[in-house]
Amino acid sequence: DTGVSQDPRHKITKRGQNVTFRCDPISEHNRLYWYRQTLGQGPEFLTYFQNEAQLEKSRLLSDRFSAERPKGSFSTLEIQRTEQGDSAMYLCASSLESRNEQFFGPGTRLTVL
Amino acid sequence: AQTVTQSQPEMSVQEAETVTLSCTYDTSESDYYLFWYKQPPSRQMILVIRQEAYKQQNATENRFSVNFQKAAKSFSLKISDSQLGDAAMYFCAYRGFQGGSEKLVFGKGMKLTVNP
């Protein structure tokens, strides 16, 4: 039984570059969530998908951020023109139903120099 | 907006002893879930225990139990017979259902150290 996987686990980039992260949810989970966690804080919600539809977006998700979930399977989170303030752990989670537990992946740690 | 507060940034406990982690939250909803998640160092977050607000009985999972006080909006986690593997960051989280939102709202977390 595989859990939620994320790739890459670590990403170092220079300010102004674009980065893309991938999340593979637990198979058959129709809900997929993205969170951001900065040092010393709890995760903050970014966005969520039910199948391929993006149903909720946080105000934290600026115009530089875009997320997709084509075909309702894996998801990608792209950050354009990265800024130092984007440095954080990006967590992905999935769940089977609305009232079910969210299972988290190991996260992608982004460092913007 | 819902908020979750964990006022203790760090705690320590002796192995085999009992420790209680506190959490308060603010909401106007009547239907919601509360969670405690554990995040070990450099490892992924895992669910420790869940409480549905409509249930009066406090949730229990082996050595982990909660004290859910709905009127006081308090949700504490008790860890009995603490083990070295319990050392981690612990996050309290809230999940409401108003407006179809599915987001979890987390507290800032609390670092638990278990001393041998």
Side-chain angles (χ1 to χ4, degrees):
Chain A
D1 179 30
T2 56
V4 179
S5 61
Q6 294 187 244
D7 184 69
R9 295 291 305 278
H10 303 273
K11 178 70 177 180
I12 299 174
T13 191
K14 293 182 178 179
R15 190 176 54 183
Q17 297 294 304
N18 298 343
V19 294
T20 300
F21 311 139
R22 175 180 172 126
C23 170
D24 286 88
I26 294 171
S27 60
E28 297 181 355
H29 278 195
N30 62 3
R31 284 164 161 80
L32 187 148
Y33 311 83
W34 285 99
Y35 293 84
R36 181 173 71 184
Q37 185 178 19
T38 54
L39 203 60
Q41 302 293 320
E44 295 173 292
F45 172 80
L46 292 177
T47 189
Y48 112 87
F49 292 84
Q50 182 177 334
N51 299 312
E52 66 274 10
Q54 189 174 18
L55 296 185
E56 189 175 359
K57 287 167 51 171
S58 162
R59 294 173 197 168
L60 292 175
L61 215 65
S62 75
D63 291 345
R64 298 184 297 106
F65 287 69
S66 63
E68 294 183 341
R69 193 183 181 198
K71 302 178 183 178
S73 55
F74 70 91
S75 175
T76 58
L77 178 67
E78 180 184 17
I79 308 174
Q80 297 182 327
R81 305 180 303 281
T82 52
E83 302 172 355
Q84 288 186 326
D86 297 331
S87 295
M89 176 77 84
Y90 289 84
L91 299 170
C92 177
S94 71
S95 71
L96 182 58
E97 297 289 344
S98 171
R99 287 182 176 261
N100 282 24
E101 168 190 354
Q102 292 183 21
F103 292 84
F104 282 82
T108 294
R109 182 168 294 283
L110 173 66
T111 302
V112 181
L113 303 176
Chain B
Q2 296 83 13
T3 57
V4 176
T5 302
Q6 293 179 254
S7 56
Q8 305 152 301
E10 291 191 47
M11 292 186 74
S12 63
V13 63
Q14 291 295 126
E15 197 175 3
E17 296 292 304
T18 296
V19 64
T20 299
L21 287 59
S22 64
C23 172
T24 58
Y25 59 95
D26 189 26
T27 184
S28 59
E29 297 182 65
S30 58
D31 182 21
Y32 52 87
Y33 289 178
L34 295 164
F35 305 87
W36 279 100
Y37 277 88
K38 169 185 176 181
Q39 189 176 41
S42 301
R43 295 183 61 186
Q44 62 204 76
M45 196 167 308
I46 57 175
L47 180 67
V48 175
I49 199 165
R50 174 173 101 170
Q51 176 78 44
E52 289 89 343
Y54 63 86
K55 290 186 177 179
Q56 292 189 340
Q57 187 171 7
N58 289 324
T60 300
E61 287 287 342
N62 301 314
R63 297 183 295 107
F64 299 88
S65 62
V66 299
N67 183 5
F68 173 47
Q69 301 288 329
K70 191 172 184 179
K73 297 180 182 174
S74 169
F75 183 59
S76 61
L77 174 69
K78 185 171 81 171
I79 306 175
S80 304
D81 185 25
S82 297
Q83 300 175 359
L84 295 178
D86 294 334
M89 287 292 296
Y90 285 83
F91 293 94
C92 179
Y94 168 98
R95 158 74 202 278
F97 297 92
Q98 201 166 56
S101 176
E102 298 209 5
K103 67 181 180 185
L104 292 174
V105 178
F106 286 86
K108 288 188 175 183
M110 194 224 66
K111 181 179 180 181
L112 179 66
T113 301
V114 181
N115 300 311

